[in-house]
């Protein structure tokens, strides 16, 4: 920048105001216009991204679509089998349905709980409080650590037969000594609790949204005698719907992709009785443990379509409940 | 923040409403402290368990150990096949490679999207945003076969090279937003002076977008360090294992006698993320709030 400025200072007085100056300026203007278009420059800057987009996203998507109609074990060439993988998935594979069941329960229970908690805490934090930064940090920390194997390991011990959770129940005389991780009825809900524990990211986003709400509307409502509950449901929530929508979309996509805790908590098995066989874990097992890469590719495409479907439904439904200013 | 909170006029009805302060404030603090304890308790429990003798971890639920056993750390460090220092070295290679890759490739792409007009720009930009929603699982298997054919399996390359190809669209998007806030006059002044777009990128844009680069660095570091699925798929032999994979070895051999060591190494494994968090706490939280996304 400094070179640019000094260059300018030196050049300008030395150029005399002659017709050639005019021509010079025209040339410069043309050059600037060309630069905005940039010729081949933008493609040069985008080159790595193009390679990544075609080589690591578009081609793999198409390849995986092709592989989903084959039997492929990585070591021998893929064999075309038509719709077999899809037929097997929907008609003959009970574990597939176990994983669909576990994943839907996980998504549909954890996402609403997580968002409700995130909003409630954000409402509490949305005021002039001493130590607000400390609270935000404390609530956000688990979200940052949440994806780590170490956290999943801790979770496994916390909900084990002799773990912290049973000690906690013991204070209320409720400790039955149950091992929550190895019971098929409860194992999935330990994963749900882990997801809910990580409400920090949506909370911070809610908080940013709450800070932008117009204060005068609340004052006016308060003057008119609207109570806290009325103000929340009639003003806060409607004004916040774009943020709610944003969080819903992101959290659903995220929840569908959950892998690490399910793998660690069940020791890679998805057990007990496939109760923690989240879809991503099943896909991993089929592809990389059983080397049924054709079948796993079919699973991957179904996952992709389901996530796209959920997102599309979200966007369509949003027309009816999301309130935009303009 | 003071700009956002309303002025404290005692006549404001809202203020009156809020200023049953005394008891109300105490109530709110009590609730928040309660939530904070629940949030942080599992972490404190892990820390205290890492210092307890195995016999005490499950029989003595309190946070304060009756006997300290720091040997858990030394035993965990040398235990489970390889020394933990190898796993940490491997994790550092992968994460540093990923950070460099993301910072370079994403800033290049972002500069092009933010500063040039070219044919099909809207479509390319839309595709870039679309890849944000694509689950990695959907391309995992064909990507694996690509790297398998390149004989890159059991090397760090599949974990690092894609980052040099700007596959994390999230950061491109973040940087595009940031570059748009840099005045164009700066570019134009340099252009009049004869600087080519590369010079403008290198000498003007890159130095000015330091905050966005730092955010990218922190999040790439943490997310790559914690990314278990890809490391599990691509790294197959113990000597290539990273920290998350090294930790799972403790699970396979949980014979009841190594709980202390397992908690000790779990605590250590969280340290880099924790340190990042403590140093950049404000930036992390604000970054999440303004740009949204992921967690």
């Amino acid at each position: 920048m400094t070179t640019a400025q000094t260059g300018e200072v030196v050049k300008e007085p030395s150029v005399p105001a002659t017709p050639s100056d005019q021509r010079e300026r025209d040339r410069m203007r043309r050059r600037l216009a060309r630069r905005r278009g940039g010729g081949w420059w933008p493609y040069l800057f985008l080159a790595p991204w193009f390679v990544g987009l075609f080589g690591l996203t578009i081609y793999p998507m198409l390849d995986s679509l092709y592989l989903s109609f084959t039997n492929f074990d990585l070591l021998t060439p893929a064999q075309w089998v038509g719709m077999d993988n899809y037929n097997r998935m929907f008609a003959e594979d009970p574990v597939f349905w176990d994983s669909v069941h576990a994943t839907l329960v996980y998504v549909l229970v954890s996402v609403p709980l997580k968002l409700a908690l995130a909003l409630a805490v954000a409402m509490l934090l949305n005021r002039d409080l001493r130590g607000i930064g400390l609270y935000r940090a404390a609530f956000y920390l688990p979200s940052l650590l949440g994806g780590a194997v170490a956290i999943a390991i801790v979770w496994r011990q916390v909900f084990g037969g002799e773990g912290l959770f049973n000690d906690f129940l013991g204070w209320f005389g409720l400790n039955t000594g149950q091992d929550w991780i190895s019971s098929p009825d409860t194992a999935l809900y330990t994963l749900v609790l882990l997801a809910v524990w990580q409400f920090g990211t949506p909370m911070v986003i809610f908080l940013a949204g709450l800070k932008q709400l117009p204060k005068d509307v609340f004052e006016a409502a308060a003057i008119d005698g609207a109570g806290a509950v009325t103000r929340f449901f009639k003003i806060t929530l409607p004004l916040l719907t774009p943020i709610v929508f944003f969080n819903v979309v992101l959290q659903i996509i995220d929840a569908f992709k959950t892998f690490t805790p399910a793998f660690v908590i069940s020791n890679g098995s998805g057990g007990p009785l496939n109760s923690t066989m989240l879809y991503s874990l099943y896909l991993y097992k089929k592809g990389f443990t059983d080397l049924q890469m054709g079948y796993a590719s079919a699973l991957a495409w179904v996952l992709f379509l389901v996530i796209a479907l959920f997102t599309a439904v979200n966007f369509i439904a949003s027309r009816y409940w999301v309130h935009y200013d303009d | 923040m003071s700009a956002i909170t309303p002025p404290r006029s005692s006549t404001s009805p809202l203020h009156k409403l809020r200023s049953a302060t005394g008891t109300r404030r105490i109530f709110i603090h009590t609730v928040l402290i309660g939530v904070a304890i629940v949030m942080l308790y599992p972490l404190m429990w892990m820390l205290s368990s890492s210092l307890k003798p195995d016999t005490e971890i499950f029989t003595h639920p309190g946070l304060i150990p009756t006997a300290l056993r720091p040997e858990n750390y030394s035993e965990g460090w040398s235990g489970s096949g390889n020394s933990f220092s190898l796993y940490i070295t491997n994790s550092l290679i992968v994460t540093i490679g990923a950070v460099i890759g993301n910072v370079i490739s994403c800033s290049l792409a972002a500069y092009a999207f933010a500063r040039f007009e070219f044919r099909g720009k809207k479509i390319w930009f839309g595709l870039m945003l679309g890849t944000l929603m694509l689950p990695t699982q959907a391309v995992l298997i064909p990507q694996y076969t690509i790297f398998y054919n390149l004989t890159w399996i059991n090397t760090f390359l599949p974990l690092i090279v894609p980052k040099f190809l700007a596959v994390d669209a999230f950061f491109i998007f973040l940087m595009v937003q940031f570059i748009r806030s840099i005045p164009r006059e700066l570019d134009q002044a340099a252009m009049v002076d004869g600087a080519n777009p590369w010079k403008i990128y290198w000498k003007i844009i890159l130095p000015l977008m330091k905050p966005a680069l730092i955010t990218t660095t922190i999040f790439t570091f943490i997310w790559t360090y914690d990314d278990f699925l890809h490391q599990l798929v691509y790294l197959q032999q113990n000597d290539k294992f990273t920290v998350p994979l090294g930790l799972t070895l403790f699970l396979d051999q949980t014979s009841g006698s190594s709980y202390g060591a397992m908690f000790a190494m779990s605590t250590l494994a969280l340290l880099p993320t924790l340190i990042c968090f403590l140093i950049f706490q404000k930036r992390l939280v604000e970054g999440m709030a303004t740009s949204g996304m992921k967690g």
Side-chain angles (χ1 to χ4, degrees):
Chain A
M1 237 196 75
T2 43
T3 53
Q5 277 167 351
T6 50
E8 218 166 346
V9 171
V10 174
K11 202 191 282 174
E12 250 173 57
S14 67
V15 177
T18 57
S20 75
D21 180 41
Q22 181 61 39
R23 231 177 298 138
E24 182 78 9
R25 249 183 278 156
D26 281 350
R27 211 166 62 211
M28 188 65 83
R29 205 169 296 140
R30 254 178 287 134
R31 216 170 86 196
L32 274 173
R34 214 176 334 121
R35 283 282 165 79
R36 266 308 284 280
W40 47 273
W41 277 105
Y43 301 102
L44 192 72
F45 284 103
L46 283 172
W49 177 75
F50 276 126
V51 176
L53 178 72
F54 287 103
L56 292 174
T57 305
I58 294 180
Y59 164 72
M61 285 298 289
L62 298 176
D63 191 32
S64 123
L65 183 61
Y66 162 72
L67 287 178
S68 75
F69 297 107
T70 66
N71 269 342
F72 180 47
D73 62 2
L74 194 67
L75 308 168
T76 48
Q79 275 178 307
W80 186 265
V81 294
M83 293 298 288
D84 277 10
N85 286 327
Y86 293 95
N87 287 335
R88 174 180 158 203
M89 196 186 300
F90 290 109
E92 296 159 26
D93 184 356
V95 186
F96 166 77
W97 289 110
D98 288 341
S99 79
V100 169
H101 177 254
T103 309
L104 285 181
V105 169
Y106 176 80
V107 171
L108 296 177
V109 177
S110 74
V111 172
L113 282 179
K114 185 183 197 170
L115 291 182
L117 194 59
L119 181 56
V121 175
M123 292 287 293
L124 278 178
L125 286 179
N126 183 33
R127 64 193 75 220
D128 207 6
L129 268 188
R130 188 170 302 187
I132 188 171
L134 276 179
Y135 288 126
R136 279 200 301 179
F139 301 156
Y140 183 61
L141 181 63
S143 304
L144 198 69
L145 300 176
V149 165
I151 293 295
I153 290 177
V154 169
W155 219 250
R156 202 169 107 142
Q157 306 308 328
V158 164
F159 288 94
E162 298 169 274
L164 185 63
F165 189 65
N166 276 337
D167 290 331
F168 172 74
L169 291 180
W171 299 346
F172 306 96
L174 293 172
N175 184 1
T176 54
Q178 189 185 355
D179 186 337
W180 304 91
I181 296 289
S182 56
S183 156
D185 294 329
T186 55
L188 183 60
Y189 290 95
T190 65
L191 291 180
V192 169
L193 264 180
L194 176 54
V196 174
W197 185 57
Q198 299 162 38
F199 66 77
T201 306
M203 174 203 75
V204 170
I205 296 171
F206 276 135
L207 199 53
L210 285 171
K211 291 234 179 285
Q212 313 208 325
L213 298 186
K215 289 284 181 281
D216 47 332
V217 180
F218 290 91
E219 297 225 2
I223 292 170
D224 290 346
V229 177
T230 317
R231 273 179 286 146
F232 175 75
F233 283 105
K234 298 275 175 179
I235 307 175
T236 312
L237 211 50
L239 287 180
L240 211 57
T241 44
I243 310 272
V244 176
F245 173 62
F246 180 75
N247 273 332
V248 167
V249 170
L250 283 180
Q251 291 303 324
I252 286 182
I253 295 176
D254 238 36
F256 267 111
K257 296 192 296 192
T258 306
F259 174 80
T260 310
F263 183 95
V264 172
I265 281 177
S266 69
N267 234 355
S269 71
L273 294 179
N274 295 330
S275 60
T276 60
M277 185 68 92
L278 292 190
Y279 199 91
S280 298
L281 177 57
Y282 188 50
L283 198 159
Y284 166 82
K285 278 170 73 84
K286 280 292 145 196
F288 298 97
T289 312
D290 303 346
L291 280 186
Q292 297 176 11
M293 297 221 160
Y295 190 56
S297 297
L299 288 171
W301 260 87
V302 169
L303 175 69
F304 171 61
L305 292 178
V306 167
I307 290 182
L309 183 76
F310 265 77
T311 309
V313 166
N314 257 324
F315 270 91
I316 293 167
S318 74
R319 283 186 211 150
Y320 301 99
W321 64 272
V322 176
H323 163 98
Y324 290 105
D325 277 343
D326 35 288
Chain B
M1 236 182 65
S2 56
I4 301 161
T5 47
R8 296 176 164 275
S9 68
S10 50
T11 49
S12 152
L14 188 66
H15 178 65
K16 246 180 233 159
L17 240 156
R18 279 212 177 143
S19 73
T21 31
T23 44
R24 213 186 147 87
R25 255 163 206 263
I26 292 172
F27 173 73
I28 290 168
H29 274 292
T30 313
V31 172
L32 287 175
I33 290 171
V35 178
I37 290 174
V38 173
M39 295 296 283
L40 298 181
Y41 203 88
L43 299 173
M44 296 188 277
W45 185 73
M46 172 184 63
L47 181 64
S48 97
S49 298
S50 75
L51 288 165
K52 285 177 182 175
D54 280 321
T55 49
E56 227 183 74
I57 291 173
F58 295 112
T59 53
H60 178 79
L63 278 186
I64 299 165
T66 54
L68 276 179
R69 193 171 182 282
E71 294 90 340
N72 286 339
Y73 280 85
S74 51
E75 283 167 19
W77 187 269
S78 55
S80 78
N82 289 296
S83 158
F84 224 75
S85 55
L86 178 71
Y87 304 142
I88 289 178
T89 312
N90 290 343
S91 269
L92 280 181
I93 295 172
V94 170
T95 46
I96 290 173
V99 165
I100 295 172
N102 259 351
V103 164
I104 294 175
S105 65
C106 294
S107 66
L108 285 172
Y111 175 62
F113 279 127
R115 282 299 200 251
F116 289 102
E117 300 304 324
F118 51 95
R119 196 179 297 171
K121 174 172 155 177
K122 279 209 171 121
I123 297 169
W124 294 122
F125 195 70
L127 266 177
M128 192 270 291
L129 291 182
T131 58
L132 273 176
M133 301 214 175
L134 184 74
T136 49
Q137 283 88 346
V139 285
L140 189 61
I141 284 161
Q143 282 184 359
Y144 183 87
T145 59
I146 292 172
F147 295 130
Y148 179 85
N149 289 330
L150 291 169
T151 65
W152 285 3
I153 304 303
N154 204 35
T155 72
F156 300 134
L157 292 173
L159 301 170
I160 296 175
V161 172
K163 306 288 177 178
F164 280 84
L165 301 175
V167 290
D168 285 345
F170 171 68
F171 298 114
I172 303 181
F173 181 66
L174 191 100
M175 291 183 196
V176 167
Q177 299 296 86
F178 194 89
I179 296 175
R180 280 180 180 157
S181 71
I182 300 175
R184 269 181 190 271
E185 285 75 26
L186 291 175
D187 308 25
Q188 276 153 5
M191 213 183 285
V192 169
D193 227 50
N196 65 23
W198 172 259
K199 257 215 167 118
I200 294 169
Y201 161 79
W202 187 249
K203 296 258 174 173
I204 296 176
I205 300 294
L206 218 47
L208 285 176
M209 67 190 287
K210 226 176 248 161
L213 299 184
I214 291 173
T215 305
T216 301
T217 300
I218 301 165
F219 278 111
T220 305
F221 178 84
I222 295 174
W223 288 339
T224 310
Y225 180 81
D226 282 342
D227 172 23
F228 178 56
L229 177 59
H230 290 92
Q231 297 171 13
L232 181 68
V233 164
Y234 291 121
L235 305 176
Q236 296 178 336
Q237 276 155 11
N238 283 6
D239 62 329
K240 288 291 192 310
F241 274 14
T242 50
V243 170
L245 295 175
L247 275 181
T248 57
L249 290 181
F250 279 101
L251 288 180
D252 298 337
Q253 45 172 245
T254 327
S255 47
S257 59
S258 55
Y259 280 119
M262 183 181 76
F263 282 121
M265 289 309 102
S266 298
T267 308
L268 277 188
L270 289 177
L271 265 189
T273 317
L274 265 173
I275 292 169
C276 248
F277 177 77
L278 291 177
I279 297 176
F280 298 105
Q281 188 251 109
K282 202 168 164 91
R283 195 185 285 275
L284 282 168
V285 175
E286 303 299 328
M288 258 311 148
T290 47
S291 57
M293 316 247 177
K294 228 163 161 178

